[in-house]
Amino acid sequence: MGRRVLITGGAGFIGSHTCLVLLEQGYELIVLDNFDNSSPEALHRVQELAGSKQLAVVKGDVRNPDDLDRAFQTVDQVDGVIHFAGLKAVGESVAEPLRYWDVNVNGSRVLAAAMERHDCRTIVFSSTSTAYGEPETFPLREDMATAPVHPYAQTKVAVEQLLTALCSSGPWRVATLRYFNPVGAHPSGRIGEDPLGIPNNLFPFITQVAAGRRERLNVFGQDYPTPDGTGIRDYLHVMDLADAHGVALEHLWEQEPPYPLTLNIGTGRGLSVLEVVKGFEASTGISIPYDVVERRAGDVPRLEACPQKAKEILGWSPRRGLAEMCRDGWTWQQANPMGYRGGT
Ligand code: NAD
Ligand code: UD1
């Protein structure tokens, strides 16, 4: 029998792709999700893609101990947790800091307490490259100081600190993954990113322009200190990010402490907004009209990972490039013009 893994937020963008990868690797999964920012349809499609593999779904809130107990009691013993559940919109976090601290920090605290109750102390946590704040030296290494500049990133750093304290307090095994910019979709086009309303992020916005759902892309600033003046980010294929979770869990089960293990998950190759636009046009043949507008508040010029530690410790490196990110994201958009809300 495969290891049993509880996945909080497993119906979301990164969670659904990770569920599929882990099911295909023979894990038995329990997803806890309140569908606050996702649809049960994502999990139906994961089931369908994975065939008859093991996936239990518990609708519940990570802040509710009873919901967590129900999820843990689905199996005799949960062997590890991947904690995706949380809120991730920077602007919203500035407007609603209490909600972000409640869901992201309190939710993680309640989850950790449930893990202790159910004798499971192995966890992979979703952190973020925005934990580094506005860095000036590149590429970003995990031993550089965190300096979060908005409530979203501050909640992620707070949870990192909680997990570090737990490792000092007992036999916890923790991997904190600092994701850079996951994009794209499963190549089947059955699961993908499904933002509600106007997309905040670059990639879904570009695919919606390509599909004719939006007229033009707004490029937020061309006066950054970068070669073409537009912001640089380290984009990685969501399937590569999903793979990283499987190898991180294996590492936690096999390797003795010390923990936590903190790892950047990115490619190390930053791309500007205009490079992404050109890459999308080249791989799909569709032109993306754009206007250069003011900078977006809170944006930093550049974020780029040093991915060396993940390679050395986990043997993980991204395998897919920009062309696959664009192709797969576009396949998903074409097949699901209105996301999951359009039905199957
Ligand atoms: P997502 O919003 O698609 O997925 C999050 C999932 O958590 C959703 O299914 C949502 O319904 C669920 N959820 C939210 N609050 C919950 C609660 N209180 N109880 C139970 N479930 C709850 O986001 P994503 O892009 O898949 O991100 C997953 C994680 O990775 C998040 O913690 C996010 O902060 C982090 N992260 C994402 C990115 C990114 O670019 N997408 C980058 C860095 C870090
Ligand atoms: C954003 C969040 C980050 C979060 C991530 C995933 C901000 C400041 N940061 O990251 O914390 O983890 O999303 O939810 O919100 N761009 C445009 N036009 C657009 C959209 C984006 O030019 O319509 C530019 C941005 O200025 C940036 C780049 O594209 O330079 C990437 O933006 P985005 O996809 O939103 O990612 P981040 O800002 O890195």
Side-chain angles (χ1 to χ4, degrees), residues 219-237:
V219 173
F220 296 144
Q222 200 174 6
D223 55 351
Y224 284 107
T226 60
D228 68 17
T230 64
I232 290 180
R233 295 292 183 276
D234 188 333
Y235 299 93
L236 82 159
H237 198 296

Side-chain angles (χ1 to χ4, degrees), residues 301-321:
R302 180 174 170 199
L303 286 172
E304 202 168 32
C306 172
Q308 208 50 38
K309 190 174 168 192
K311 185 174 183 186
E312 279 163 18
I313 294 184
L314 299 183
W316 176 88
S317 291
R319 292 184 289 136
R320 301 157 179 95

Side-chain angles (χ1 to χ4, degrees), residues 15 31 36 95 128 141 189 206 244 250 257 259:
V31 166
D36 187 60
T128 168
R141 293 169 44 91
I206 288 177
E250 289 295 334
Y259 285 111

Side-chain angles (χ1 to χ4, degrees), residues 90 130 181 200-202 218-220 233 235 273 296 299:
V90 172
T130 57
N181 287 58
N200 186 42
N201 299 120
L202 178 64
N218 282 329
V219 173
F220 296 144
R233 295 292 183 276
Y235 299 93
V273 175
R296 176 172 67 180
D299 273 349

Side-chain angles (χ1 to χ4, degrees), residues 1-7 23 26-32 53-58 67-81 114 117-120 253:
M1 192 175 50
R3 299 260 202 181
R4 284 146 304 188
V5 182
L6 171 62
I7 312 222
L23 286 171
Y27 294 93
E28 194 179 327
L29 305 184
I30 309 108
V31 166
L32 176 88
K53 309 279 172 48
Q54 298 285 311
L55 173 65
V57 181
V58 173
D67 290 350
L68 284 164
D69 284 343
R70 270 194 303 130
F72 275 97
Q73 284 157 3
T74 312
V75 293
D76 290 341
Q77 176 64 45
V78 170
D79 298 305
V81 172
R117 271 199 308 287
H118 294 276
D119 200 23
C120 171
W253 286 319

Side-chain angles (χ1 to χ4, degrees), residues 34-48:
N34 66 358
F35 302 108
D36 187 60
N37 194 37
S38 57
S39 160
E41 177 63 18
L43 293 173
H44 297 150
R45 295 193 188 182
V46 166
Q47 280 275 28
E48 162 204 298

Side-chain angles (χ1 to χ4, degrees), residues 330-342:
W330 178 229
T331 302
W332 154 255
Q333 171 67 45
Q334 280 177 293
N336 306 272
M338 303 305 285
Y340 293 115
R341 286 166 296 276

